[in-house]
CSV table of all heavy atoms in Angstrom, one decimal:
chain,number,residue,atom,x,y,z
A,1,ALA,N,-143.9,-209.0,120.2
A,1,ALA,CA,-145.4,-208.9,119.8
A,1,ALA,C,-145.9,-207.5,120.3
A,1,ALA,O,-146.7,-206.9,119.5
A,1,ALA,CB,-146.1,-210.0,120.5
A,2,SER,N,-145.6,-207.1,121.5
A,2,SER,CA,-146.1,-205.8,122.0
A,2,SER,C,-145.6,-204.6,121.2
A,2,SER,O,-146.4,-203.7,120.8
A,2,SER,CB,-145.7,-205.6,123.5
A,2,SER,OG,-146.1,-204.4,123.9
A,3,THR,N,-144.3,-204.6,120.8
A,3,THR,CA,-143.8,-203.5,120.0
A,3,THR,C,-144.4,-203.5,118.6
A,3,THR,O,-144.8,-202.4,118.1
A,3,THR,CB,-142.3,-203.7,119.9
A,3,THR,OG1,-141.7,-203.7,121.2
A,3,THR,CG2,-141.7,-202.5,119.1
A,4,TRP,N,-144.5,-204.6,117.9
A,4,TRP,CA,-145.0,-204.6,116.6
A,4,TRP,C,-146.5,-204.3,116.5
A,4,TRP,O,-147.0,-203.7,115.6
A,4,TRP,CB,-144.7,-206.0,115.9
A,4,TRP,CG,-143.4,-206.0,115.3
A,4,TRP,CD1,-142.3,-206.7,115.7
A,4,TRP,CD2,-143.0,-205.3,114.1
A,4,TRP,NE1,-141.3,-206.5,114.9
A,4,TRP,CE2,-141.6,-205.6,113.9
A,4,TRP,CE3,-143.6,-204.4,113.3
A,4,TRP,CZ2,-140.9,-205.1,112.9
A,4,TRP,CZ3,-142.9,-203.8,112.2
A,4,TRP,CH2,-141.5,-204.2,112.0
A,5,VAL,N,-147.3,-204.8,117.5
A,5,VAL,CA,-148.7,-204.4,117.5
A,5,VAL,C,-148.9,-202.9,117.6
A,5,VAL,O,-149.7,-202.3,116.9
A,5,VAL,CB,-149.4,-205.1,118.7
A,5,VAL,CG1,-150.8,-204.5,119.0
A,5,VAL,CG2,-149.6,-206.6,118.4
A,6,LYS,N,-148.1,-202.3,118.5
A,6,LYS,CA,-148.2,-200.8,118.6
A,6,LYS,C,-147.8,-200.1,117.4
A,6,LYS,O,-148.5,-199.2,116.9
A,6,LYS,CB,-147.4,-200.3,119.8
A,6,LYS,CG,-147.9,-200.8,121.2
A,6,LYS,CD,-147.0,-200.3,122.3
A,6,LYS,CE,-147.6,-200.5,123.7
A,6,LYS,NZ,-147.8,-201.9,124.0
A,7,ALA,N,-146.7,-200.5,116.8
A,7,ALA,CA,-146.2,-199.8,115.6
A,7,ALA,C,-147.1,-200.1,114.4
A,7,ALA,O,-147.5,-199.1,113.6
A,7,ALA,CB,-144.8,-200.3,115.3
A,8,LEU,N,-147.6,-201.3,114.2
A,8,LEU,CA,-148.4,-201.6,113.0
A,8,LEU,C,-149.8,-201.0,113.2
A,8,LEU,O,-150.4,-200.7,112.1
A,8,LEU,CB,-148.5,-203.1,112.8
A,8,LEU,CG,-147.1,-203.8,112.4
A,8,LEU,CD1,-147.3,-205.3,112.3
A,8,LEU,CD2,-146.7,-203.3,111.0
A,9,THR,N,-150.3,-200.9,114.4
A,9,THR,CA,-151.6,-200.3,114.6
A,9,THR,C,-151.6,-198.8,114.2
A,9,THR,O,-152.5,-198.3,113.5
A,9,THR,CB,-152.0,-200.4,116.1
A,9,THR,OG1,-152.1,-201.8,116.4
A,9,THR,CG2,-153.4,-199.8,116.3
A,10,LEU,N,-150.5,-198.1,114.5
A,10,LEU,CA,-150.4,-196.7,114.1
A,10,LEU,C,-150.3,-196.6,112.6
A,10,LEU,O,-150.9,-195.7,112.0
A,10,LEU,CB,-149.1,-196.1,114.8
A,10,LEU,CG,-149.1,-196.0,116.3
A,10,LEU,CD1,-147.7,-195.5,116.7
A,10,LEU,CD2,-150.1,-195.1,116.8
A,11,ILE,N,-149.6,-197.5,112.0
A,11,ILE,CA,-149.4,-197.5,110.5
A,11,ILE,C,-150.8,-197.8,109.8
A,11,ILE,O,-151.2,-197.2,108.9
A,11,ILE,CB,-148.4,-198.5,110.1
A,11,ILE,CG1,-147.0,-198.0,110.6
A,11,ILE,CG2,-148.3,-198.6,108.5
A,11,ILE,CD1,-145.9,-199.0,110.2
A,12,ASN,N,-151.5,-198.8,110.4
A,12,ASN,CA,-152.8,-199.2,109.8
A,12,ASN,C,-153.8,-198.1,109.9
A,12,ASN,O,-154.6,-197.9,109.0
A,12,ASN,CB,-153.3,-200.4,110.5
A,12,ASN,CG,-154.5,-201.0,109.8
A,12,ASN,OD1,-154.5,-201.4,108.6
A,12,ASN,ND2,-155.5,-201.2,110.5
A,13,TYR,N,-153.8,-197.3,111.0
A,13,TYR,CA,-154.8,-196.2,111.2
A,13,TYR,C,-154.5,-195.2,110.1
A,13,TYR,O,-155.5,-194.7,109.4
A,13,TYR,CB,-154.6,-195.6,112.5
A,13,TYR,CG,-155.2,-196.4,113.6
A,13,TYR,CD1,-154.8,-196.2,115.0
A,13,TYR,CD2,-156.2,-197.3,113.4
A,13,TYR,CE1,-155.4,-196.9,116.0
A,13,TYR,CE2,-156.8,-198.1,114.4
A,13,TYR,CZ,-156.4,-197.8,115.7
A,13,TYR,OH,-156.9,-198.6,116.8
A,14,ARG,N,-153.3,-194.8,109.8
A,14,ARG,CA,-153.0,-193.8,108.8
A,14,ARG,C,-153.3,-194.4,107.4
A,14,ARG,O,-153.8,-193.7,106.6
A,14,ARG,CB,-151.5,-193.4,108.9
A,14,ARG,CG,-151.1,-192.8,110.2
A,14,ARG,CD,-152.0,-191.7,110.6
A,14,ARG,NE,-151.5,-190.8,111.6
A,14,ARG,CZ,-151.4,-191.2,112.9
A,14,ARG,NH1,-151.8,-192.4,113.3
A,14,ARG,NH2,-150.9,-190.3,113.8
A,15,SER,N,-153.0,-195.6,107.2
A,15,SER,CA,-153.3,-196.2,105.9
A,15,SER,C,-154.8,-196.2,105.6
A,15,SER,O,-155.2,-195.9,104.4
A,15,SER,CB,-152.8,-197.7,105.8
A,15,SER,OG,-153.0,-198.3,104.6
A,16,THR,N,-155.6,-196.4,106.6
A,16,THR,CA,-157.1,-196.4,106.4
A,16,THR,C,-157.5,-195.0,106.1
A,16,THR,O,-158.4,-194.8,105.2
A,16,THR,CB,-157.8,-197.0,107.7
A,16,THR,OG1,-157.3,-198.3,108.0
A,16,THR,CG2,-159.3,-197.0,107.5
A,17,ILE,N,-157.0,-194.0,106.8
A,17,ILE,CA,-157.3,-192.6,106.5
A,17,ILE,C,-157.0,-192.2,105.1
A,17,ILE,O,-157.8,-191.6,104.4
A,17,ILE,CB,-156.7,-191.7,107.5
A,17,ILE,CG1,-157.2,-191.9,108.9
A,17,ILE,CG2,-156.8,-190.2,107.1
A,17,ILE,CD1,-156.5,-191.2,110.0
A,18,LEU,N,-155.9,-192.6,104.6
A,18,LEU,CA,-155.4,-192.3,103.3
A,18,LEU,C,-156.2,-192.9,102.2
A,18,LEU,O,-156.1,-192.5,101.0
A,18,LEU,CB,-153.9,-192.6,103.1
A,18,LEU,CG,-153.0,-191.9,104.0
A,18,LEU,CD1,-151.5,-192.3,103.7
A,18,LEU,CD2,-153.1,-190.4,103.9
A,19,GLN,N,-157.0,-193.9,102.5
A,19,GLN,CA,-157.8,-194.6,101.5
A,19,GLN,C,-159.2,-194.0,101.3
A,19,GLN,O,-159.9,-194.4,100.4
A,19,GLN,CB,-158.0,-196.1,101.8
A,19,GLN,CG,-156.7,-196.9,101.8
A,19,GLN,CD,-156.9,-198.3,102.2
A,19,GLN,OE1,-157.8,-199.0,101.7
A,19,GLN,NE2,-156.1,-198.8,103.1
A,20,THR,N,-159.5,-192.9,102.1
A,20,THR,CA,-160.8,-192.2,101.9
A,20,THR,C,-160.8,-191.5,100.6
A,20,THR,O,-159.8,-191.1,100.1
A,20,THR,CB,-161.0,-191.3,103.1
A,20,THR,OG1,-159.9,-190.4,103.2
A,20,THR,CG2,-161.1,-192.0,104.4
A,21,ILE,N,-162.0,-191.3,100.1
A,21,ILE,CA,-162.2,-190.6,98.8
A,21,ILE,C,-161.7,-189.2,98.8
A,21,ILE,O,-161.0,-188.7,97.8
A,21,ILE,CB,-163.6,-190.7,98.4
A,21,ILE,CG1,-164.0,-192.2,98.2
A,21,ILE,CG2,-163.9,-190.0,97.1
A,21,ILE,CD1,-165.5,-192.3,97.8
A,22,GLU,N,-161.9,-188.4,99.9
A,22,GLU,CA,-161.6,-187.0,99.8
A,22,GLU,C,-160.2,-186.7,100.4
A,22,GLU,O,-159.9,-185.5,100.6
A,22,GLU,CB,-162.7,-186.2,100.7
A,22,GLU,CG,-164.1,-186.3,100.1
A,22,GLU,CD,-165.1,-185.5,100.9
A,22,GLU,OE1,-164.7,-184.9,101.9
A,22,GLU,OE2,-166.3,-185.4,100.5
A,23,ALA,N,-159.4,-187.7,100.6
A,23,ALA,CA,-158.0,-187.4,101.1
A,23,ALA,C,-157.2,-186.8,100.0
A,23,ALA,O,-157.2,-187.2,98.9
A,23,ALA,CB,-157.4,-188.8,101.5
A,24,THR,N,-156.5,-185.7,100.4
A,24,THR,CA,-155.7,-184.9,99.5
A,24,THR,C,-154.2,-185.0,100.0
A,24,THR,O,-154.0,-185.5,101.1
A,24,THR,CB,-156.1,-183.5,99.4
A,24,THR,OG1,-156.3,-182.9,100.7
A,24,THR,CG2,-157.4,-183.4,98.6
A,25,VAL,N,-153.3,-184.5,99.2
A,25,VAL,CA,-151.9,-184.6,99.6
A,25,VAL,C,-151.6,-183.9,100.9
A,25,VAL,O,-150.7,-184.4,101.6
A,25,VAL,CB,-151.0,-184.0,98.4
A,25,VAL,CG1,-149.6,-184.0,98.8
A,25,VAL,CG2,-151.2,-184.8,97.1
């Protein structure tokens, strides 16, 4: 649980950033 929460939180933060309108490659 501790490992997956840390890993998935990092992934979810980046996924949220990439969903912004002005995000480019």
Side-chain angles (χ1 to χ4, degrees):
S2 177
T3 304
W4 274 111
V5 164
K6 290 178 172 61
L8 292 175
T9 300
L10 295 175
I11 295 175
N12 188 56
Y13 284 159
R14 297 313 193 284
S15 180
T16 304
I17 292 173
L18 298 182
Q19 294 178 50
T20 56
I21 296 177
E22 296 185 358
T24 51
V25 174

